[in-house]
């Protein structure tokens, strides 16, 4: 066991990111589990917090098996090998993506009512998740962020599979991981408390970040 919970993970991760404090970064948490981690990082760095909505594209015959992912802002990634192994047809892939886009849009509407998106152009962006296993949602998220032309992208996670980190290195300008593991097995095994994060927690974190920012910038 390496982390008590996502708050502890965020605090440990933040200690590895202090060199970015002076750049005035935007810390972006992947929904939903990455947001509590990102909130702690943003708090420790005195940075703006935002969230990025992502959805896994689960295989029709085995929804828990990710064959790709989509992200708010246009990011999309599909693993052709998983599509082939599962025998997913083009029509089935379209059906899955259509359903997930509808769910993604509902969450975008809900979260953006709490806090509008932070513009990322020419900013240092620290993308945070609670862990990375296969990396599908992270790939889609990195694509979305890169589309906004940030100054640089830092991928930061408490725990991740080493092989996946190596595969993602070329998509970010820097990768920071507290606990890179060859024996990851499952992200939740590295947390004492890995309770599911619900929409209310994400909304609360975004509202708190918005309130803090408004107090900081008000005359």
């Amino acid at each position: 066991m390496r982390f008590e919970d996502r708050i502890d993970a965020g605090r440990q991760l933040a200690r590895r990111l202090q060199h970015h404090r002076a750049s005035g970064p935007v810390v972006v948490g992947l929904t939903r589990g990455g947001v509590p981690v990102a909130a702690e990082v943003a708090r420790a760095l005195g940075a703006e917090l935002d969230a990025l909505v992502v959805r896994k594209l689960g295989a029709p015959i085995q929804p828990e098996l990710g064959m790709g992912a989509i992200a708010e802002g246009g990011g999309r990634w599909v693993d052709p090998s998983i599509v082939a192994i599962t025998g997913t047809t083009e029509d089935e892939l379209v059906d899955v993506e259509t359903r997930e886009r509808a769910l993604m849009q509902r969450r975008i509407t809900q979260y953006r009512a709490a806090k509008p998106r932070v513009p990322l152009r020419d900013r240092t962006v620290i993308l945070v998740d609670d862990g990375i296993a296969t990396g599908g949602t992270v790939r889609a998220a990195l694509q979305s962020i890169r589309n906004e032309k940030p100054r640089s992208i830092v991928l930061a996670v408490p725990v991740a599979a080493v092989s996946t980190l190596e595969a993602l290195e070329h998509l970010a300008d820097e990768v920071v991981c507290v606990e890179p593991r060859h024996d990851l097995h499952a992200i939740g095994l590295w947390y004492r408390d890995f309770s599911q994060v619900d929409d209310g927690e994400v909304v609360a974190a975004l509202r708190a970040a918005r309130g803090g920012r408004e107090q900081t910038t008000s005359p």
Side-chain angles (χ1 to χ4, degrees), residues 12-33:
Q12 292 194 45
L13 185 59
R15 290 197 283 271
R16 308 288 185 96
L17 295 163
Q18 286 295 324
H19 57 290
H20 287 291
R21 173 185 281 272
S23 68
V26 181
V27 180
V28 178
L30 286 191
T31 59
R32 291 179 288 188

Side-chain angles (χ1 to χ4, degrees), residues 46-208:
E48 290 186 83
L49 173 69
D50 203 356
L52 188 71
V53 183
V54 291
R55 296 291 301 178
K56 180 175 71 176
L57 302 178
I61 62 171
Q62 191 177 346
E64 289 303 309
L65 176 61
M67 58 182 178
I70 54 175
E72 177 183 7
R76 179 183 186 271
W77 178 77
V78 173
D79 187 337
S81 65
I82 299 297
V83 171
I85 289 170
T86 58
T88 302
T89 67
E90 184 64 29
D91 285 345
E92 287 174 328
L93 179 58
V94 169
D95 286 345
V96 170
E97 186 168 346
T98 299
R99 183 173 63 252
E100 293 301 331
R101 284 195 182 280
L103 291 170
M104 183 173 71
Q105 188 55 53
R106 285 204 289 272
R107 282 192 176 153
I108 289 171
T109 299
Q110 181 181 12
Y111 298 162
R112 295 308 160 202
K115 185 178 185 292
R117 285 195 71 185
V118 177
L120 303 181
R121 188 180 184 90
D122 296 327
R123 301 288 299 273
T124 296
V125 179
I126 301 176
L127 179 65
V128 176
D129 203 359
D130 53 13
I132 305 175
T134 60
T137 54
V138 171
R139 286 177 181 272
L142 287 168
Q143 186 182 117
S144 285
I145 291 172
R146 188 67 74 184
N147 289 344
E148 293 196 48
K149 303 187 185 308
R151 181 190 308 125
S152 63
I153 302 175
V154 181
L155 175 60
V157 289
V159 61
V162 170
S163 59
T164 303
L165 289 176
E166 291 172 348
L168 293 171
E169 281 181 343
H170 71 288
L171 299 176
D173 299 291
E174 181 183 350
V175 176
V176 176
C177 181
V178 177
E179 193 74 17
R181 303 297 308 188
H182 289 284
D183 57 344
L184 178 70
H185 301 304
I187 294 168
L189 294 177
W190 300 92
Y191 287 80
R192 190 176 303 279
D193 178 3
F194 198 63
S195 305
Q196 184 173 342
V197 176
D198 62 28
D199 289 329
E201 291 177 75
V202 175
V203 168
L206 292 173
R207 283 179 176 160

